[in-house]
Amino acid sequence: IQPPEKPLQSEEWNSLRESFSSPEIFEEVMLNSMVKCNSPVDVAKSLLTHVAKSHGDIAYSLLIKYLALCVQQGKTSEILDVYDIMKIRFKILESGAYNLLIRGLSNSDQWRMALTLLEEIKKIMIPSRTSYELCIKAASRHQEMNLAFELYHEMLDKNLAPTLDVMQAFFDFSRGMKGAELQKELFGILFYLRDNQIYPHKTFMQSIKLWFESIPGENWRGHQTNIKDSGKCPVCNHQLEDSSLTEEEYNNLRERIIRDVIHGTDTFRKTSPQEFEAFQTFVENRLPFDIVIDGLNVSHMQLRQTQCENLFNAVNCLAKGNARLLVLGRKHMLTNSSNWRKDLMKEMQDKADFFFAENISEDDTFLLYATLRSGKHCKFVTRDFLRDHKACLSDSGTRHLFRKWQRGHQIAFYSSAEGKHINFLMFLPLFIQQPALRYDCVVQTTGDTWHIPYKNIFEEKYSYQIPRKWLCIQQK
């Protein structure tokens, strides 16, 4: 429906409603259309007045749509009016309504009201990431950085991962401000990027650079650069951190993963102790492997091919150079079917060792165990990010080592644009004809230098692709 351009009287709304094919949803459709067309608020208000006169009250769903229109246009007094009505009419609002109210108020001179609403939400549920971030930005915009960081830490404590957008806002709004505590907090965000292997996009990188250069009396200078294959920064000549783990680091990590992750509380949730024991015996009798493959994960690589063909292509590609392969499969793969051809399975088993687990087994623990037991050289193939396993490790130092090991040992795969062949892509690209990177691609600092890898484009999603561009910041 095309909304009217000016407010209507009840009779006019009635005649429009009667001419509509589904009168029972007329008001809903009309308000949706008003939000889409960004109609004047007084036109929407005249419809709600008509509804109130006809029905005695206004449904929650209609109030929400009206609220969305008011928020869209930044009509603060109307937003507060809707909130007053809702507070009286409904004991509890759902998170969508709270998000809208906070969005509308956080961008207005009534921004502190958004904080009050955030406190209200906390009494009944965990506020959404959006609600937190709107309040953080509002506090930052008004230079209340302590409050903004308090909310940020609260968010992290609730396991709500901050967006790049809110992290960038901290650097934007802190520009030119001095203070050891503030600096510590912003460095904390950079360490968060490091620990979670997050790469800022170009505009976020520029915000970081400008913030450093704006710190009064500290004389930081930032330069965009490409790091040499040797890992040396052409700007400051500093050698970046090595990508490989030392023998001691590797052994410590292996012990911790086997203890905390593999033998941790959840190992047997999707497998049995007997099956895992059988797997351990199988692995110990055949060590060491060069590459361990999550067969089920790889089999879903390309939708236009059968699962069996996907795995067959991967095994053929990875078996080149006489690499010793272990494929973790499932028992249903042994049943001849259109998806799992017996002849192809037989051919693969000539090129790789296969362990077929029960159909309900958890692959990741098997994958980690076989890779770690094979030694420092062994790589593994999966598109899984293994976030849950990293979370099982109790301290941040070990989690960092896990990520570093993962970057150096995980082979991800993707199909070519035409889907005719597959490419294998490592955090350290091994199967693409490039030398493995000798330096670690994460945010790093020596105290008077910072090196920050960044991407040209915005990517909120976690990605395997390693950026080749870096920001070098040094204190002169």
Side-chain angles (χ1 to χ4, degrees), residues 46 71 77 94 113-114 134 137 176 189 210 215 232 260 269 275 279 286 290 316 327 343 360 370 400 408 453 470:
S46 77
V71 168
S77 61
E94 37 78 53
M113 184 71 187
L134 288 165
K137 282 189 194 168
I189 292 177
L210 290 171
I215 304 170
K232 192 165 266 196
D260 296 354
R269 220 183 279 164
E275 183 179 50
F279 174 68
R286 289 166 179 79
D290 298 315
N316 279 343
V327 180
D343 57 328
I360 53 160
H400 172 67
W470 288 71

Side-chain angles (χ1 to χ4, degrees), residues 214-231:
S214 78
I215 304 170
E218 295 219 358
N219 210 18
W220 290 94
R221 283 289 163 268
H223 298 274
Q224 288 154 247
T225 187
N226 292 324
I227 302 294
K228 296 173 183 171
D229 286 341
S230 64

Side-chain angles (χ1 to χ4, degrees), residues 347-412:
E347 203 176 320
M348 279 190 269
Q349 284 169 278
D350 292 338
K351 293 178 180 176
D353 280 299
F354 271 73
F355 182 85
F356 296 98
E358 292 295 338
N359 294 329
I360 53 160
S361 296
E362 177 59 79
D363 291 7
D364 294 349
T365 44
F366 287 56
L367 187 78
L368 288 172
Y369 181 83
T371 308
L372 288 161
R373 284 295 293 124
S374 291
K376 217 171 145 186
H377 73 290
C378 186
K379 308 284 190 279
F380 63 95
V381 184
T382 181
R383 283 184 92 160
D384 196 316
F385 289 116
L386 308 178
R387 283 199 188 95
D388 292 349
H389 303 297
K390 178 190 155 225
C392 291
L393 297 163
S394 52
D395 66 280
S396 61
T398 312
R399 284 196 293 272
H400 172 67
L401 282 183
F402 180 76
R403 273 282 180 249
K404 189 173 178 177
W405 173 76
Q406 189 182 3
R407 283 192 293 277
H409 292 78
Q410 182 164 1
I411 304 167

Side-chain angles (χ1 to χ4, degrees), residues 171 174-180 182-184 186-187 190 208-221 450 473 475:
F171 288 91
S174 301
R175 214 171 286 167
M177 293 168 78
K178 198 169 170 65
L182 176 69
Q183 198 160 314
K184 188 179 157 202
L186 289 160
F187 284 173
L190 295 176
I208 295 168
K209 177 180 181 290
L210 290 171
W211 171 71
F212 267 102
E213 292 174 344
S214 78
I215 304 170
E218 295 219 358
N219 210 18
W220 290 94
R221 283 289 163 268
W450 281 86
I473 305 167
Q475 206 169 15

